[in-house]
Amino acid sequence: MRIVIQRVKRASVTIGGQLRSKIGPGLMVLVGVREGDTAQDAAWLAQKTVNMRIFDDDKGVMNLSVLQAGGDVLAVSQFTLNASTRKGNRPSYIHAAGHAVAIPMYETYCAEVSKLLGHPVKTGEFGADMQVELINDGPVTIIVDSLLKE
């Protein structure tokens, strides 16, 4: 699994002109699932998401996690995170997991983050055409990959 974590002032997901989810200060997380990903990958990434120290403390140093800062998390599925751009100019999505694998892994990730946060994660809708808006704070954007453990 691969995630992109963005520290945000606010973020929202709209589907078909209807607001699906929104958060205030916290993390907007794009979640990409690969074939072969497991519940252990989802749990490892959930721990990283909730505990990553990317919020400012009272001295202005990035030393607090979203949990410590009292922020929310908005998690949006995004199969394009697993694009292969090795050959040519048209990305290949051959490594992205199909619905049978991706949906349960995305849901497992969201459930793990919710459990660790102590409140529900806001979500988009798997497979939907979503419009995502966010105000990136910093900007702070971190890519985490369970395959590489980085």
Side-chain angles (χ1 to χ4, degrees):
M1 291 176 76
R2 180 177 291 154
I3 61 174
V4 176
I5 299 172
Q6 296 176 313
R7 186 178 75 183
V8 298
K9 294 283 189 186
R10 65 180 179 273
S12 66
V13 175
T14 302
I15 303 169
Q18 300 293 315
L19 180 66
R20 164 67 186 245
S21 295
K22 69 177 182 174
I23 63 169
L27 300 176
M28 164 67 202
V29 183
L30 303 174
V31 182
V33 180
R34 285 185 292 259
E35 286 294 335
D37 285 337
T38 66
Q40 289 78 23
D41 293 306
W44 186 80
L45 288 170
Q47 286 282 343
K48 285 288 188 185
T49 301
V50 172
N51 294 304
M52 189 159 300
R53 295 172 19 186
I54 58 175
F55 288 86
D56 292 346
D57 62 16
D58 58 355
K59 293 182 174 84
V61 177
M62 285 197 292
N63 204 26
L64 301 176
S65 68
V66 69
L67 182 61
Q68 294 166 319
D72 290 318
V73 175
L74 173 60
V76 175
S77 62
Q78 189 170 8
F79 79 96
T80 59
L81 287 180
N82 294 304
S84 174
T85 58
R86 197 170 275 206
K87 292 178 14 181
N89 292 317
R90 184 176 184 167
S92 169
Y93 303 106
I94 194 164
H95 300 297
H99 282 68
V101 171
I103 292 172
M105 287 300 97
Y106 169 69
E107 290 174 348
T108 297
Y109 170 81
C110 290
E112 287 290 322
V113 172
S114 294
K115 183 172 70 173
L116 294 168
L117 272 181
H119 62 272
V121 167
K122 304 290 180 134
T123 64
E125 181 180 320
F126 193 94
D129 181 16
M130 297 175 272
Q131 287 67 57
V132 178
E133 293 184 81
L134 62 101
I135 303 296
N136 193 318
D137 182 20
V140 175
T141 303
I142 311 284
I143 299 170
V144 187
D145 192 311
S146 66
L147 182 65
L148 304 173
K149 294 291 190 257
E150 63 178 32

